[in-house]
Amino acid sequence: FPSHDMQGASVMVKGTKVGTQTGADGAFSMTVPSSATTLVISSIGFFRTSEVSLLNFWQRSFLPSWS
């Protein structure tokens, strides 16, 4: 899913070393382990990370609040 607010953000599967970085349009894709439950999203320049339940992630559009 594209979101310009997420340009260059790091997206990791919580508790693993599985991750990727978003592109210029904020979009990303990655293969996650079947046991994964949470994504951790962070970006340089923002003071906190966001954790997103994968169950909620797949059920609705996701746009994190960085404020």
Side-chain angles (χ1 to χ4, degrees):
F1 58 87
S3 171
H4 295 287
D5 293 339
M6 289 180 49
Q7 180 179 5
S10 170
V11 182
M12 301 291 296
V13 177
K14 187 174 183 175
T16 74
K17 293 183 180 185
V18 176
T20 191
Q21 192 169 27
T22 63
D25 64 354
F28 70 92
S29 79
M30 68 179 168
T31 302
V32 299
S34 60
S35 60
T37 60
T38 305
L39 294 180
V40 178
I41 303 169
S42 61
S43 181
I44 295 173
F46 295 107
F47 298 108
R48 66 181 183 98
T49 60
S50 291
E51 291 192 10
V52 179
S53 163
L54 283 174
L55 179 61
N56 291 335
F57 181 84
W58 301 123
Q59 291 177 348
R60 62 182 171 83
S61 296
F62 167 71
L63 294 174
S65 172
W66 294 109
S67 55

